[in-house]
Amino acid sequence: MRTVLVTGGTGYIGSHTVVELQEAGYKVVIVDNLSNSYAEVVDSIEAITGTRPVFEKVDLKDREATLEVFEAHPNIEAVIHFAALKAVGESVEIPLEYYKNNIDSLIHILEAMQQYDVKNIVFSSSCTVYGEPDQLPVTEQAPIKKANAPYGNTKQICEEIMQDYRVPNPQINVISLRYFNPIGAHPSALIGELPIGVPNNLVPFITQTAIGLREELKVFGDDYNTPDGSAIRDYINVVDLAKAHVVSIERLLNGNNKQGYEIFNLGTGKGNSVLEVIKAFEKVTGAPLKYKIVGRREGDVEQVYADTRYANDELGWKAEKDLEETLASAWKWEQHYRSKEKERE
Ligand code: UD1
């Protein structure tokens, strides 16, 4: 059994990826500092897969502790590095925290990989690196735009760090996955997106509004140059996204990567507007969602969706689930989580 270290493995995308890795036969070691997730996620992963992943509560800003994880698990053959702070607005408020956390963590991981001779890493990047793209859909060759917030800048800097690091260390294989907008939850409804506090992202805000935790959804802008005036994104099912990580790990471990540093867009290739997402969600629940149109949110781009051909052809991976099925999974998760929460009270 091959061992993969998953940093941020109790987080949203991380936990779904751990499930898919274990179901594909990998042994998983999770590292997470639980700054934006809960230890109980490990129980849920075990409930879904029948296997309990190893869990190390470690903060990757701590270099020694990071090295100790590799020392304790000498069989690690690859790393998937999810662990990062990711709230765009917060990153404007506390930029140094974002730079320190996201960049130091990557550097410590790379140092540990060097010391323990681990050669493969999959990195969580974001379509935010494309900014407001000149051409749609966006290919991997689209130019990187100046980041509009420290969060996006940390993703750009991390990609550059890995490229620079490979110059004297060409034996290191990197796959950088640029996610579009991951949404939804595992069909079991045992894991899903669990933002702490008021959600920043669209779909958790929608499900929390539908369940009565939020008064109403604010739609940020209906004066964009799009068919219905609301902004367009490429919403991808989180389980589909997780599966792309398994394929990427297989590619690296089997030596099938064509270049030492590869980049893939992970999206569906289809753009949906905020108002379309609301309509699809209303169809799923059969009830109207309370929302109102407000002004644009600062820093938002008008539209972005992926050209997925390179990922489809080269990885042999494709997003399969459609928007309604994915929103239904998000809704099921919200209901399941809140009913369990009531039981606990
Ligand atoms: C943002 C970042 C992305 C980052 C992700 C992680 C940008 C361009 N994108 O994605 O890089 O990885 O957050 O958190 O910075 N919306 C509403 N009302 C709401 C919430 C959102 O109308 O209450 C709209 C937004 O204006 C946007 C769409 O819904 O048009 C999606 O927003 P969100 O889920 O926050 O994701 P992004 O901003 O696309």
Side-chain angles (χ1 to χ4, degrees):
M1 225 187 224
R2 308 187 85 163
T3 304
V4 180
L5 178 73
V6 180
T7 78
T10 51
Y12 173 43
I13 309 172
S15 59
H16 288 80
T17 300
V18 173
V19 165
E20 297 305 316
L21 282 168
Q22 292 196 154
E23 288 186 340
Y26 290 93
K27 182 171 187 286
V28 175
V29 177
I30 293 176
V31 168
D32 206 299
N33 65 358
L34 301 179
S35 66
N36 194 26
S37 61
Y38 301 94
E40 291 73 34
V41 170
V42 179
D43 303 329
S44 304
I45 293 170
E46 184 179 8
I48 295 169
T49 62
T51 306
R52 193 169 184 83
V54 175
F55 173 62
E56 303 273 13
K57 184 173 181 296
V58 163
D59 191 322
L60 298 170
K61 290 196 294 301
D62 182 340
R63 185 174 181 277
E64 291 314 307
T66 305
L67 291 170
E68 276 165 26
V69 173
F70 284 75
E71 179 73 35
H73 304 283
N75 296 327
I76 293 168
E77 289 187 65
V79 177
I80 308 182
H81 183 43
F82 291 105
L85 298 174
K86 61 152 198 173
V88 178
E90 184 186 62
S91 80
V92 177
E93 304 296 321
I94 48 169
L96 295 186
E97 289 301 314
Y98 271 68
Y99 286 112
K100 190 161 58 180
N101 187 81
N102 293 4
I103 290 164
D104 282 5
S105 297
L106 175 68
I107 291 173
H108 295 157
I109 285 288
L110 291 175
E111 286 175 341
M113 286 173 64
Q114 183 165 49
Q115 189 157 329
Y116 290 91
D117 199 26
V118 178
K119 295 195 175 67
N120 304 298
I121 179 165
V122 174
F123 177 71
S124 292
S125 190
S126 167
C127 73
T128 193
V129 301
Y130 301 121
E132 184 83 66
D134 304 323
Q135 277 178 347
L136 289 166
V138 192
T139 70
E140 289 82 355
Q141 280 73 46
I144 303 294
K145 297 279 176 70
K146 184 176 165 33
N148 58 17
Y151 159 74
N153 204 22
T154 67
K155 291 295 170 189
Q156 296 187 8
I157 292 169
C158 284
E159 287 201 12
E160 286 171 3
I161 287 173
M162 290 184 294
Q163 284 164 8
D164 290 345
Y165 180 66
R166 283 201 69 262
V167 175
N169 297 285
Q171 76 283 3
I172 300 292
N173 300 303
V174 181
I175 293 185
S176 186
L177 299 175
R178 292 179 177 161
Y179 311 148
F180 284 67
N181 286 57
I183 61 165
H186 192 267
S188 65
L190 292 172
I191 52 172
E193 188 169 8
L194 197 56
I196 292 174
V198 182
N200 296 305
N201 296 112
L202 178 63
V203 170
F205 207 103
I206 288 179
T207 56
Q208 289 196 10
T209 304
I211 209 140
L213 281 173
R214 310 284 156 209
E215 181 73 31
E216 64 184 353
L217 170 75
K218 293 186 181 73
V219 174
F220 297 136
D222 70 346
D223 57 351
Y224 285 107
N225 186 21
T226 59
D228 65 23
S230 64
I232 291 177
R233 297 287 184 274
D234 183 337
Y235 295 95
I236 175 171
N237 183 286
V238 68
V239 176
D240 282 341
L241 188 75
K243 287 181 175 157
H245 293 76
V246 178
V247 174
S248 300
I249 286 293
E250 270 160 14
R251 183 177 176 89
L252 292 177
L253 292 181
N254 295 334
N256 291 336
N257 50 322
K258 295 215 173 110
Q259 282 143 23
Y261 190 96
E262 295 183 316
I263 296 168
F264 295 100
N265 282 345
L266 298 184
T268 66
K270 190 175 179 320
N272 284 106
S273 72
V274 176
L275 293 173
E276 282 172 347
V277 173
I278 294 172
K279 271 199 207 95
F281 185 77
E282 288 176 333
K283 206 167 155 203
V284 164
T285 59
L289 183 81
K290 262 191 99 181
Y291 72 89
K292 78 165 177 218
I293 313 277
V294 301
R296 294 181 182 190
R297 183 171 68 178
E298 209 188 309
D300 270 352
V301 302
E302 180 173 281
Q303 42 185 325
V304 60
Y305 49 94
D307 185 325
T308 62
R309 281 174 300 175
Y310 186 57
N312 297 158
D313 297 347
E314 214 28 69
L315 290 178
W317 163 91
K318 203 173 183 331
E320 280 161 6
K321 297 188 167 66
D322 68 18
L323 183 63
E324 266 181 41
E325 181 182 355
T326 302
L327 289 171
S329 72
W331 180 227
K332 185 178 166 192
W333 153 250
E334 184 75 54
Q335 290 171 296
H336 186 255
Y337 184 79
R338 297 304 161 192
S339 71
K340 271 200 322 195
E341 202 176 43
K342 272 218 180 88
E343 277 169 29
R344 282 197 295 267
E345 277 166 15

